Amino acid sequence: MTTETLLSQHEAVIAEVLEAYPEKAKKSRAKHLGVDTPEGVKGACDATKSNKQTVPGVMSQRGCAYAGSKGVVWGPIKDMIHISHGPIGCGQYSRAGRRNYYIGTTGVDTYVTMNFSTDYNEKDIVFGGDKKLKAALAEIDGLFPLNNGISIQSECPIGLIGDDIQAVAKAYKKESGKPTVAVSCEGFRGVSQSLGHHIANDMIRDEVLPDNSYKKDFESTPYDVAIIGDYNIGGDAWSSRILLEEMGLRVIAQWSGDTTYKELTMAPKAKINLLHCYRSMNYVVRHMEQEFGVPWMEYNFFGPTKTTESLRKIAAFFDESIQAKTEAVIAKYTEMTDKVIAKYKPKLAGKTVMLYVGGLRPRHVIGAYEDLGMEVIGTGYEFGHGDDYKRTKEELARTTLIYDDVNEYELEHFVKKLKPDLVASGVKEKYVFQKMGLPFRQMHSWDYSGPYHGYDAFAIFAKDMDLAMNSPVWAHTKAPWESN
Amino acid sequence: MQDVENIVNGQKLFLKPEYQEVFKNKIPFEGHAGAVNPAKVVEVANWTTTWEYREKNLAREHITINPAKACQPLGAVMAALGFENTMPYVHGSHGCVAYFRSYFTRHFKEPTPCVSDSMSESAAVFGGLANMKEGLRNCKALYKPDMIAVSTTCMAEVIGDDLNAFVLGARAEAEGELDGTPIPAAHTPSFVGSHITGYDNMMNAILQELNPVEEGVEVVKDSERINIIPGFEPYLGSLKEVKKMAAMFSDKIVMLGDHEEQWNTPAGEYKLYAGGTPIEVAKKASTAGTTISLQKYSTVATAKMIKGSWKQNYATCNPIGLGGTDAFVMKLSELTGKPVPKELTLLRGQLVDAMQDSYPYMHGKKFAIWGDPDFLLGVVSFLVEMGAVPTHILCNNAPRKHWEKEMKDILEKCTFKEECNIWAGKDLWHLRSLLFTEPVDFMIGNVYGKELYRDTKIPLIRIGFPIFDRHHLHRYSISGYEGGLNLLTWITNAVLDALDEETKDIAKTDFFFDCVR
């Protein structure tokens, strides 16, 4: 199909979707939907409105600022205890669902999969909960003496009832001598989890980075790097770290999957910060650039093409010895990934995918699918900003439907019209599409598999996509006595 | 590196020597105790298993650790989805709704429809009226519900939004688009009670909205009609079985809030709504002679309304276990004036027969169990009926009134009643201490028992909510005689699995590794 026909076809689909809305919502949603092509002309990646209020009354897939701070940025820091401060629900719904892998003795020296809640009741709302919070901090230290700090993650009521958690944290820090960080990431702030990432970054900037206690004994090498914006979902950061180490670099900190408080404080010692999830951690790497002079670089470890490209880009920052080792690493792994491609591409080539995720994945995983001969025909961000969409343009290989903060009604309609062979999105969407008989992979949790970052992980990615696409179960939907 | 002939995911990938090397290399950069002082980790880990730690832990008042409860609006969403073509609508931030939908979806492995009106900073300042006006219209236009069931998040409650006025205002400005669509609204503050309170409040609001009581107007009663409210019931098979049992007595027994089909739709096409009590049927709820609640503590406010405002006969039953099911059956017999059908007597006999076949394996075995108040009353009754010992009964969301007394009454019948403990308001980190200091043979509970299993090695039998890491258990019944058989099967076979585990060491313990048990 020519670009023009695809373009007009996609535009017609958008127009159809918008018809269902009342006028005001229609006008708003129209700005978030569009089509773009790899060619030079300005398309939806330039024009799409993003990071705006969600239209009320729809099934948005977005989360909140608390989810962005506790769930994404702070939660994976393994040796700190993160309090869900407020009513009981938020901490319970976000407990142990993100697969931020870590090594440690849970409940003794690490705490990621646990849920600490101040469990607000009506009295706390009416009279304020600062006293309770102070007592909670002390109880935590009494029962978990090996914790290396406590963060307080605010739920909606905290900012509304006027509790002064910053003052409580400051006083407690002074008293206990331990890091105590109050994060005002109330769920109603901003339009999605995105503002939560930003608030969380700011608190790392203000409360963690100024801590020099570990820096004085640190012996630098010319090859020190930090991994920033990898949450170690299913072990992603580990399968990334191995490549950086093999190319001769020393990973001195890993933010924030399988990380420790000490690692957080050490990132300013890196020669360069390597940024995977731009959306959730660009703020703090910019700060480290300004404050400590640490440059930063984005990279993409999904699929061998992008991984190789990224490794070379990273190596170019260092000397020839690193570059030579990097070529050896690439050669070693390419032999393996070529075999993976030879094995799976024939089974997957030509298949189409629609993506709807958050963070970096709406653009970063396109290359991995292309390595398998698959085409991404639609993509969008739950909580992206304009700079994410601009970066997406570079990744497009064909005419692509672009949808920002797409809700269930729209996505269902788009999928029915564009008929992809695979939908890759989140758990809330998973069973909607599987019921239609469409193969689906969760691309937040790697559908309980992974890792998906790096060369070894690409083999898993390929195997998982084949598993989803070529399972016999999709052929059973129609009963033999039903006509087509 | 991956072997392309045998690609492994993280489970085995990270066991390869090169990744073990990565882990080792990372340690010098880490600062947690495991990296800097592993001996200290062992020391503290051991300390957490002591009586001293237990006392300190049980004295904790201000921080909840690993709770066994959720917040009100979650229950409101379940109540709403029990009615036909009804969209749960949460007045508040959309982050909450993302959580409710994920939570149910991870449990049921099914989609969960629910919208929010995406309140944000401006709503925090000016109130959420504008959101509701636009939200209700958009919801109606896109998802075409016959009813929109509004609940609230803590944000809306804290700023004090006037829910009923908002709904009226939104309706008035909707240019007729919301006419004829019932919009019940319930206050469901997360800082009061738990998910079962939210279920109660939403159920109450829906029933009131659909059955307006007018001063001086007498509702014509149909004394033969019986309503059954299931409560916050995660076992879809239980709903099915209760309906089946009720139908054996009368075709005038209806379930109010029947969410069985919503989370059990077939492959083939996606439907937003499935099953549920038809709104026309729910509109006649107040005409019934009697309403039976199957979860007394999930329907406290609803009960008050039914008794006070509908002036209806109200009963509670808890058809989990033999005695509870017997009481339910006799209640149905009493209310319908019909003898117990032969089929039920047969099912009962089959359950009792099975209990008599398996009792040696449960007799005297010690159990720790946690969950919602009514669930606990039911399953603990069953444990007592089997001769087991419910050593630790933990209810994080224990009601302040009556519940503990009811549980004590059940334990009175227990052969080992001195060994049984009720832990009201405690959490799963408390339970960890209890398990280390006063160990049991098995645990019965939800997915959060998994870490307790890892730490204490006590086998976990997954019965409860939520269960994210095992599939399809929610499809079975835990209610009625057939539900009793499921409980019996799961528990007995878990005991037998443990026995095999303990006796499988070759030439050491395997003399007891019997083929016949």
Side-chain angles (χ1 to χ4, degrees):
Chain A
M1 213 176 290
T2 67
T3 305
E4 287 73 38
T5 12
L6 263 180
L7 197 73
S8 57
Q9 215 179 53
H10 285 8
E11 278 164 355
V13 174
I14 293 173
E16 238 176 78
V17 156
L18 290 171
E19 270 321 297
Y21 284 100
E23 215 40 53
K24 189 176 171 196
K26 183 195 279 181
K27 221 169 130 190
S28 160
R29 286 305 301 156
K31 296 175 192 155
H32 296 260
L33 307 172
V35 192
D36 212 338
T37 56
E39 288 84 45
V41 287
K42 287 198 171 186
C45 288
D46 280 294
T48 301
K49 283 264 182 282
S50 56
N51 196 32
K52 298 281 179 218
Q53 290 280 356
T54 295
V55 165
V58 304
M59 250 186 273
S60 168
Q61 312 293 14
R62 278 177 164 179
C64 63
Y66 163 88
S69 179
K70 188 265 183 181
V72 174
V73 176
W74 282 93
I77 303 166
K78 64 181 177 180
D79 60 343
M80 291 181 80
I81 285 172
H82 310 288
I83 302 177
S84 294
H85 185 42
I88 197 72
C90 315
Q92 193 70 328
Y93 308 130
S94 58
R95 182 180 176 191
R98 257 177 76 82
R99 305 185 72 232
N100 303 111
Y101 281 8
Y102 62 103
I103 306 281
T105 307
T106 303
V108 180
D109 72 336
T110 49
Y111 317 92
V112 179
T113 55
M114 296 171 68
N115 172 10
F116 293 79
S117 169
T118 40
D119 192 3
Y120 262 36
N121 58 35
E122 207 159 9
K123 207 176 84 221
D124 302 316
I125 298 290
V126 176
F127 300 108
D130 286 343
K131 276 191 189 141
K132 181 177 199 165
L133 176 62
K134 188 166 178 264
L137 292 166
E139 282 183 353
I140 286 174
D141 274 336
L143 290 166
F144 304 94
L146 301 184
N147 83 73
N148 285 335
I150 302 175
S151 86
I152 300 150
Q153 306 287 329
S154 296
E155 299 170 6
C156 283
I158 304 306
L160 297 170
I161 60 176
D163 276 10
D164 191 354
I165 57 168
Q166 301 295 344
V168 175
K170 206 172 155 191
Y172 191 77
K173 187 179 178 179
K174 210 170 161 192
E175 198 182 304
S176 69
K178 274 187 173 177
T180 313
V181 186
V183 187
S184 297
C185 54
E186 286 86 352
F188 64 83
R189 294 189 195 276
V191 300
S192 67
Q193 45 272 66
S194 183
L195 187 61
H197 305 141
H198 198 153
I199 293 167
N201 276 223
D202 287 354
M203 292 317 294
I204 293 178
R205 177 194 68 196
D206 296 345
E207 296 291 329
V208 179
L209 292 182
D211 184 347
N212 292 319
S213 51
Y214 295 105
K215 288 183 190 129
K216 52 183 186 303
D217 299 326
F218 183 79
E219 285 173 32
S220 283
T221 77
Y223 304 121
D224 293 348
V225 299
I227 294 177
I228 308 287
D230 190 320
Y231 301 102
N232 206 31
I233 291 168
D236 283 336
W238 296 332
S239 56
S240 303
R241 193 180 176 101
I242 194 170
L243 299 177
L244 299 171
E245 287 178 354
E246 281 184 40
M247 63 193 263
L249 303 176
R250 194 170 79 141
V251 183
I252 62 164
Q254 193 175 291
W255 284 28
S256 63
D258 189 37
T259 203
T260 56
Y261 177 80
K262 180 182 164 191
E263 285 176 77
L264 288 183
T265 66
M266 295 312 291
K269 285 282 182 186
K271 295 290 173 289
I272 187 166
N273 276 325
L274 303 175
L275 179 62
H276 208 239
C277 182
Y278 170 84
R279 180 72 276 132
S280 59
M281 282 205 180
N282 78 84
Y283 319 98
V284 74
V285 293
R286 288 177 201 279
H287 167 75
M288 281 193 267
E289 186 174 40
Q290 282 166 10
E291 181 75 19
F292 307 101
V294 186
W296 55 281
M297 181 191 286
E298 289 175 68
Y299 68 104
N300 178 354
F301 273 4
F302 286 102
T305 304
K306 291 292 167 187
T307 305
T308 299
E309 219 176 279
S310 294
L311 290 182
R312 288 198 173 119
K313 197 167 91 174
I314 295 165
F317 182 82
F318 293 95
D319 58 35
E320 280 171 10
S321 77
I322 296 292
Q323 287 157 19
K325 276 189 218 157
T326 302
E327 287 309 317
V329 170
I330 292 168
K332 172 182 146 189
Y333 282 100
T334 303
E335 203 186 321
M336 182 271 290
T337 55
D338 280 350
K339 282 188 203 154
V340 171
I341 290 168
K343 185 172 175 179
Y344 291 108
K345 195 171 176 176
K347 297 160 88 176
L348 298 169
K351 303 283 188 191
T352 56
V353 189
M354 280 176 79
L355 291 171
Y356 181 58
V357 267
L360 69 163
R361 290 150 295 173
R363 61 176 179 277
H364 266 41
V365 299
I366 295 175
Y369 283 109
E370 281 171 6
D371 285 333
L372 294 169
M374 298 170 74
E375 278 186 84
V376 173
I377 61 172
T379 191
Y381 294 79
E382 273 184 38
F383 49 85
H385 296 209
D387 48 3
D388 290 303
Y389 284 96
K390 287 206 171 63
R391 284 167 164 76
T392 310
K393 175 89 172 176
E394 298 156 26
E395 307 293 332
L396 299 184
R398 52 156 280 158
T399 305
T400 309
L401 193 60
I402 305 290
Y403 28 76
D404 178 70
D405 184 21
V406 74
N407 55 58
E408 180 162 306
Y409 178 84
E410 293 168 352
L411 190 59
E412 190 190 332
H413 195 89
F414 288 149
V415 167
K416 278 181 175 161
K417 290 288 170 178
L418 268 65
K419 298 189 173 57
D421 299 300
L422 176 77
V423 181
S425 187
V427 72
K428 301 190 287 298
E429 299 91 323
K430 174 171 180 165
Y431 302 97
V432 169
F433 297 110
Q434 288 199 167
K435 281 191 192 294
M436 299 177 188
L438 266 172
F440 185 100
R441 285 299 292 184
Q442 286 183 67
M443 291 298 279
H444 296 262
S445 66
W446 309 148
D447 230 316
Y448 322 121
S449 176
Y452 283 174
H453 294 177
Y455 292 118
D456 278 341
F458 173 69
I460 304 167
F461 176 79
K463 189 182 174 188
D464 286 349
M465 294 310 139
D466 173 52
L467 166 112
M469 304 282 299
N470 296 315
S471 162
V473 297
W474 308 117
H476 308 326
T477 303
K478 210 150 218 94
W481 54 88
E482 283 175 325
S483 56
N484 277 316
Chain B
M1 195 163 48
Q2 292 277 12
D3 165 9
V4 181
E5 292 313 308
N6 181 26
I7 295 169
V8 291
N9 68 16
Q11 184 206 348
K12 291 186 178 146
L13 180 70
F14 297 128
L15 300 179
K16 291 185 187 243
E18 66 270 28
Y19 281 98
Q20 291 297 309
E21 191 67 20
V22 167
F23 293 163
K24 213 175 81 199
N25 292 341
K26 185 170 183 291
I27 289 173
F29 302 100
E30 300 191 333
H32 70 301
V36 297
N37 191 354
K40 192 80 190 162
V41 177
V42 176
E43 183 197 319
V44 173
N46 288 335
W47 174 58
T48 66
T49 67
T50 61
W51 276 90
E52 182 202 339
Y53 189 88
R54 168 180 162 147
E55 296 307 322
K56 207 173 160 68
N57 191 7
L58 285 175
R60 167 162 61 85
E61 282 177 14
H62 304 285
I63 189 82
T64 296
I65 306 171
N66 297 347
K69 61 176 179 177
C71 71
Q72 280 213 46
L74 184 83
V77 171
M78 180 182 273
L81 288 174
F83 293 86
E84 195 175 49
N85 295 331
T86 297
M87 180 60 86
Y89 179 110
V90 178
H91 180 54
S93 159
H94 51 228
C96 309
V97 169
Y99 280 145
F100 308 145
R101 293 174 65 210
S102 305
Y103 211 63
F104 279 130
T105 292
R106 286 176 178 146
H107 177 80
F108 291 116
K109 317 293 178 201
E110 292 277 325
T112 303
C114 180
V115 302
S116 92
D117 51 19
S118 298
M119 281 165 67
S120 183
E121 280 112 332
S122 58
V125 178
F126 303 111
L129 177 59
N131 298 66
M132 189 171 275
K133 281 181 181 168
E134 204 189 334
L136 286 173
R137 278 183 82 171
N138 287 339
C139 171
K140 180 73 185 176
L142 285 194
Y143 305 110
K144 308 208 165 18
D146 291 340
M147 176 160 77
I148 303 174
V150 179
S151 56
T152 55
T153 68
C154 46
M155 178 204 182
E157 290 297 326
V158 171
I159 64 175
D161 276 0
D162 185 346
L163 212 49
N164 288 314
F166 281 18
V167 170
L168 285 176
R171 202 188 270 289
E173 283 187 27
E175 299 172 56
E177 284 169 20
L178 296 171
D179 291 359
T181 305
I183 309 176
H187 289 282
T188 50
S190 310
F191 45 83
V192 176
S194 69
H195 55 287
I196 59 172
T197 324
Y199 179 93
D200 188 14
N201 288 333
M202 192 75 248
M203 179 59 70
N204 191 13
I206 291 171
L207 294 181
Q208 285 192 64
E209 173 76 18
L210 297 180
N211 296 268
V213 176
E214 286 168 56
E215 199 78 20
V217 181
E218 193 77 17
V219 174
V220 185
K221 295 271 182 197
D222 175 357
S223 62
E224 285 179 22
R225 180 179 157 141
I226 299 166
N227 303 317
I228 293 180
I229 301 175
F232 189 95
E233 179 52 80
Y235 283 90
L236 304 178
S238 288
L239 300 179
K240 192 174 185 173
E241 187 165 350
V242 163
K243 285 183 284 183
K244 200 168 90 184
M245 290 168 74
M248 289 180 194
F249 284 94
S250 160
D251 56 6
K252 296 185 99 174
I253 305 178
V254 295
M255 188 173 271
L256 299 176
D258 175 6
H259 52 261
E260 184 210 337
E261 282 180 56
Q262 181 64 45
W263 280 302
N264 190 13
T265 65
E269 64 169 326
Y270 168 60
K271 287 197 300 185
L272 193 56
Y273 312 107
T277 308
I279 289 169
E280 288 313 310
V281 172
K283 276 183 174 172
K284 294 212 159 62
S286 65
T287 67
T290 304
T291 294
I292 305 173
S293 168
L294 303 184
Q295 288 183 2
K296 181 176 169 182
Y297 296 100
S298 306
T299 50
V300 177
T302 307
K304 211 171 155 191
M305 186 278 292
I306 290 172
K307 285 186 277 190
S309 166
W310 290 359
K311 313 247 182 295
Q312 212 174 73
N313 183 23
Y314 182 84
T316 56
C317 291
N318 189 343
I320 300 177
L322 184 71
T325 305
D326 286 346
F328 177 56
V329 166
M330 286 188 292
K331 179 55 81 179
L332 291 176
S333 171
E334 173 204 319
L335 292 171
T336 57
K338 288 181 190 159
V340 175
K342 282 208 177 77
E343 195 184 341
L344 277 176
T345 311
L346 176 66
L347 283 172
R348 183 185 191 280
Q350 287 167 335
L351 172 61
V352 173
D353 181 69
M355 289 165 76
Q356 291 166 349
D357 294 343
S358 308
Y359 76 91
Y361 295 102
M362 278 176 74
H363 187 91
K365 291 283 187 304
K366 293 179 176 183
F367 288 83
I369 179 168
W370 64 94
D372 288 342
D374 293 287
F375 165 84
L376 287 173
L377 291 170
V379 181
V380 169
S381 300
F382 180 69
L383 292 175
V384 170
E385 285 161 356
M386 287 303 297
V389 195
T391 308
H392 300 299
I393 301 158
L394 185 138
C395 189
N396 207 167
N397 52 350
R400 272 193 297 260
K401 290 180 192 163
H402 311 306
W403 178 81
E404 225 171 311
K405 165 83 175 59
E406 259 191 89
M407 187 58 88
K408 278 185 185 146
D409 290 346
I410 291 168
L411 296 176
E412 271 306 305
K413 294 178 214 131
C414 179
T415 325
F416 311 90
K417 64 181 173 199
E418 309 75 36
E419 297 174 40
C420 304
N421 305 285
I422 302 168
W423 302 98
K426 297 296 178 192
D427 57 43
L428 297 180
W429 191 257
H430 290 126
L431 184 59
R432 187 176 183 273
S433 282
L434 301 173
L435 294 171
F436 275 123
T437 48
E438 292 177 274
V440 297
D441 300 304
F442 297 91
M443 298 186 284
I444 293 178
N446 59 15
V447 65
Y448 301 120
K450 190 168 192 162
E451 297 199 340
L452 295 170
Y453 161 65
R454 179 194 57 200
D455 294 356
T456 66
K457 316 295 177 223
I458 296 168
L460 168 66
I461 303 169
R462 284 169 178 76
I463 308 174
F465 173 86
I467 295 170
F468 298 147
D469 68 335
R470 291 292 184 274
H471 287 207
H472 307 306
L473 291 170
H474 67 270
R475 296 175 190 273
Y476 291 84
S477 174
I478 61 165
S479 298
Y481 299 121
E482 289 176 84
L485 201 52
N486 288 331
L487 290 175
L488 180 72
T489 307
W490 296 336
I491 299 170
T492 303
N493 287 337
V495 174
L496 293 173
D497 284 344
L499 192 51
D500 284 352
E501 266 308 299
E502 286 166 20
T503 57
K504 72 180 195 316
D505 281 1
I506 297 166
K508 287 206 178 78
T509 60
D510 70 343
F511 52 84
F512 211 85
F513 193 67
D514 282 306
C515 277
V516 186
R517 305 270 199 207

